[in-house]
mmCIF file of all heavy atoms in Angstrom:
data_model
loop_
_atom_site.group_PDB
_atom_site.id
_atom_site.type_symbol
_atom_site.label_atom_id
_atom_site.label_comp_id
_atom_site.label_asym_id
_atom_site.label_seq_id
_atom_site.Cartn_x
_atom_site.Cartn_y
_atom_site.Cartn_z
ATOM 1 N N LEU W 77 6.470 -2.062 7.997
ATOM 2 C CA LEU W 77 5.774 -3.333 7.871
ATOM 3 C C LEU W 77 6.401 -4.321 8.845
ATOM 4 O O LEU W 77 7.626 -4.481 8.866
ATOM 5 C CB LEU W 77 5.921 -3.861 6.437
ATOM 6 C CG LEU W 77 5.393 -5.244 6.107
ATOM 7 C CD1 LEU W 77 3.895 -5.323 6.273
ATOM 8 C CD2 LEU W 77 5.777 -5.618 4.677
ATOM 9 N N VAL W 80 9.390 -3.114 10.872
ATOM 10 C CA VAL W 80 10.622 -2.746 10.168
ATOM 11 C C VAL W 80 10.295 -1.598 9.230
ATOM 12 O O VAL W 80 9.311 -1.654 8.498
ATOM 13 C CB VAL W 80 11.188 -3.940 9.363
ATOM 14 C CG1 VAL W 80 12.405 -3.536 8.565
ATOM 15 C CG2 VAL W 80 11.514 -5.114 10.298
ATOM 16 N N THR W 81 11.127 -0.550 9.256
ATOM 17 C CA THR W 81 10.920 0.610 8.393
ATOM 18 C C THR W 81 12.019 0.654 7.340
ATOM 19 O O THR W 81 13.210 0.561 7.672
ATOM 20 C CB THR W 81 10.926 1.914 9.219
ATOM 21 O OG1 THR W 81 9.886 1.825 10.208
ATOM 22 C CG2 THR W 81 10.682 3.115 8.334
ATOM 23 N N ARG W 82 11.615 0.787 6.092
ATOM 24 C CA ARG W 82 12.542 0.874 4.962
ATOM 25 C C ARG W 82 12.098 1.994 4.035
ATOM 26 O O ARG W 82 10.901 2.313 3.933
ATOM 27 C CB ARG W 82 12.534 -0.421 4.148
ATOM 28 C CG ARG W 82 13.016 -1.633 4.902
ATOM 29 C CD ARG W 82 14.509 -1.811 4.675
ATOM 30 N NE ARG W 82 14.951 -3.057 5.246
ATOM 31 C CZ ARG W 82 15.716 -3.152 6.328
ATOM 32 N NH1 ARG W 82 16.116 -2.075 6.946
ATOM 33 N NH2 ARG W 82 16.090 -4.327 6.766
ATOM 34 N N GLY W 83 13.052 2.563 3.311
ATOM 35 C CA GLY W 83 12.733 3.563 2.298
ATOM 36 C C GLY W 83 11.939 2.918 1.178
ATOM 37 O O GLY W 83 12.198 1.764 0.804
ATOM 38 N N GLN W 84 10.948 3.653 0.653
ATOM 39 C CA GLN W 84 10.105 3.099 -0.410
ATOM 40 C C GLN W 84 9.684 4.212 -1.350
ATOM 41 O O GLN W 84 9.165 5.239 -0.916
ATOM 42 C CB GLN W 84 8.850 2.433 0.177
ATOM 43 C CG GLN W 84 7.912 1.843 -0.861
ATOM 44 C CD GLN W 84 8.537 0.659 -1.575
ATOM 45 O OE1 GLN W 84 9.086 -0.248 -0.949
ATOM 46 N NE2 GLN W 84 8.467 0.645 -2.895
ATOM 47 N N SER W 104 6.279 -2.398 -5.400
ATOM 48 C CA SER W 104 6.700 -3.742 -5.006
ATOM 49 C C SER W 104 7.695 -3.668 -3.857
ATOM 50 O O SER W 104 8.425 -2.687 -3.726
ATOM 51 C CB SER W 104 7.363 -4.471 -6.188
ATOM 52 O OG SER W 104 6.439 -4.664 -7.227
ATOM 53 N N ILE W 105 7.705 -4.710 -3.048
ATOM 54 C CA ILE W 105 8.694 -4.846 -1.992
ATOM 55 C C ILE W 105 9.241 -6.267 -2.025
ATOM 56 O O ILE W 105 8.626 -7.169 -2.608
ATOM 57 C CB ILE W 105 8.118 -4.564 -0.583
ATOM 58 C CG1 ILE W 105 7.082 -5.632 -0.190
ATOM 59 C CG2 ILE W 105 7.543 -3.169 -0.484
ATOM 60 C CD1 ILE W 105 6.745 -5.666 1.288
ATOM 61 N N LEU W 106 10.386 -6.450 -1.405
ATOM 62 C CA LEU W 106 10.921 -7.781 -1.171
ATOM 63 C C LEU W 106 10.622 -8.135 0.276
ATOM 64 O O LEU W 106 10.960 -7.377 1.186
ATOM 65 C CB LEU W 106 12.430 -7.824 -1.429
ATOM 66 C CG LEU W 106 12.881 -7.565 -2.872
ATOM 67 C CD1 LEU W 106 14.393 -7.579 -2.962
ATOM 68 C CD2 LEU W 106 12.259 -8.568 -3.831
ATOM 69 N N GLN W 107 10.003 -9.287 0.490
ATOM 70 C CA GLN W 107 9.679 -9.716 1.844
ATOM 71 C C GLN W 107 10.936 -9.797 2.718
ATOM 72 O O GLN W 107 10.904 -9.430 3.887
ATOM 73 C CB GLN W 107 8.994 -11.088 1.822
ATOM 74 C CG GLN W 107 7.630 -11.077 1.152
ATOM 75 C CD GLN W 107 7.026 -12.453 1.197
ATOM 76 O OE1 GLN W 107 6.529 -12.857 2.235
ATOM 77 N NE2 GLN W 107 7.080 -13.183 0.086
ATOM 78 N N THR W 108 12.022 -10.282 2.142
ATOM 79 C CA THR W 108 13.245 -10.460 2.917
ATOM 80 C C THR W 108 13.789 -9.131 3.444
ATOM 81 O O THR W 108 14.480 -9.125 4.462
ATOM 82 C CB THR W 108 14.323 -11.198 2.093
ATOM 83 O OG1 THR W 108 14.479 -10.545 0.827
ATOM 84 C CG2 THR W 108 13.917 -12.650 1.863
ATOM 85 N N ASP W 109 13.477 -8.009 2.791
ATOM 86 C CA ASP W 109 13.899 -6.694 3.288
ATOM 87 C C ASP W 109 13.233 -6.355 4.621
ATOM 88 O O ASP W 109 13.706 -5.503 5.358
ATOM 89 C CB ASP W 109 13.564 -5.575 2.281
ATOM 90 C CG ASP W 109 14.490 -5.575 1.085
ATOM 91 O OD1 ASP W 109 15.529 -6.262 1.117
ATOM 92 O OD2 ASP W 109 14.166 -4.866 0.107
ATOM 93 N N TYR W 110 12.113 -7.017 4.916
ATOM 94 C CA TYR W 110 11.363 -6.762 6.137
ATOM 95 C C TYR W 110 11.452 -7.930 7.120
ATOM 96 O O TYR W 110 10.630 -8.075 8.011
ATOM 97 C CB TYR W 110 9.895 -6.453 5.794
ATOM 98 C CG TYR W 110 9.782 -5.132 5.073
ATOM 99 C CD1 TYR W 110 9.914 -5.061 3.694
ATOM 100 C CD2 TYR W 110 9.589 -3.945 5.777
ATOM 101 C CE1 TYR W 110 9.857 -3.834 3.042
ATOM 102 C CE2 TYR W 110 9.521 -2.729 5.132
ATOM 103 C CZ TYR W 110 9.655 -2.681 3.760
ATOM 104 O OH TYR W 110 9.611 -1.478 3.103
ATOM 105 N N GLY W 111 12.470 -8.769 6.934
ATOM 106 C CA GLY W 111 12.682 -9.887 7.828
ATOM 107 C C GLY W 111 11.687 -11.007 7.668
ATOM 108 O O GLY W 111 11.468 -11.802 8.582
ATOM 109 N N ILE W 112 11.067 -11.111 6.505
ATOM 110 C CA ILE W 112 10.044 -12.134 6.250
ATOM 111 C C ILE W 112 10.636 -13.211 5.352
ATOM 112 O O ILE W 112 11.181 -12.909 4.281
ATOM 113 C CB ILE W 112 8.807 -11.509 5.566
ATOM 114 C CG1 ILE W 112 8.212 -10.401 6.433
ATOM 115 C CG2 ILE W 112 7.784 -12.590 5.255
ATOM 116 C CD1 ILE W 112 7.190 -9.551 5.714
ATOM 117 N N ASP W 126 9.456 -13.885 -3.241
ATOM 118 C CA ASP W 126 10.018 -12.875 -2.343
ATOM 119 C C ASP W 126 9.410 -11.507 -2.662
ATOM 120 O O ASP W 126 9.084 -10.741 -1.770
ATOM 121 C CB ASP W 126 11.539 -12.832 -2.488
ATOM 122 C CG ASP W 126 12.210 -11.954 -1.443
ATOM 123 O OD1 ASP W 126 11.563 -11.571 -0.438
ATOM 124 O OD2 ASP W 126 13.405 -11.647 -1.617
#
Side-chain angles (χ1 to χ4, degrees):
L77 173 64
V80 176
T81 301
R82 296 268 187 250
Q84 180 67 49
S104 296
I105 66 164
L106 296 178
Q107 294 181 77
T108 51
D109 285 348
Y110 292 86
I112 301 168
D126 189 14

